[in-house]
Amino acid sequence: MNYFSGESPENYEQKCLCTLVLDVSASMQGSPIKELNEGLKQFHQAILDDISASSRLELSVITFGSEVKTVLEPTLVENFDMPNLSVSGLTPLADAIELAIDKTE
């Protein structure tokens, strides 16, 4: 008789949180926001291509522009598509860093 009926996790790897705090203020208009979005796509693909990183890295994305916003809650890279960011507003950097610290804690 089998007394164990629990589910086994698919991923036993130790997790590591990476929080990206990204400027999407008006100063990023044009080429800078395009380059940021391209860099995010390349970053995402590089992690997906690395078996070890893709099973360990949890990624969170916080943007700051007209508002500080959590674009992506902490999750494994395989579970999302990298967001396409757009420009808006001022540069509340301190508020964005505070949110990142809170999420990390």
Side-chain angles (χ1 to χ4, degrees), residues 4 6-12:
F4 180 75
E7 292 183 38
S8 295
E10 293 177 20
N11 183 344
Y12 295 99

Side-chain angles (χ1 to χ4, degrees), residues 8-101:
S8 295
E10 293 177 20
N11 183 344
Y12 295 99
E13 298 292 335
Q14 179 79 26
K15 303 303 181 281
C16 178
L17 176 62
C18 173
T19 301
L20 302 177
V21 181
L22 306 174
D23 183 358
V24 295
S25 67
S27 65
M28 295 292 288
Q29 187 70 38
S31 180
I33 196 72
K34 289 177 187 174
E35 291 176 15
L36 177 59
N37 279 311
E38 183 58 33
L40 288 173
K41 289 177 189 171
Q42 290 176 12
F43 176 70
H44 185 237
Q45 190 59 52
I47 295 167
L48 286 173
D49 291 344
D50 184 317
I51 294 169
S52 180
S54 66
S55 63
R56 295 178 181 171
L57 187 67
E58 289 184 324
L59 187 63
S60 176
V61 177
I62 295 172
T63 60
F64 58 98
S66 59
E67 64 181 333
V68 174
K69 183 168 52 173
T70 301
V71 176
L72 180 68
E73 292 290 345
T75 188
L76 289 173
V77 177
E78 64 189 19
N79 296 332
F80 71 90
D81 292 322
M82 188 59 77
N84 189 38
L85 304 176
S86 58
V87 173
S88 68
L90 302 173
T91 311
L93 176 59
D95 294 338
I97 291 173
E98 269 186 42
L99 180 59
I101 290 169

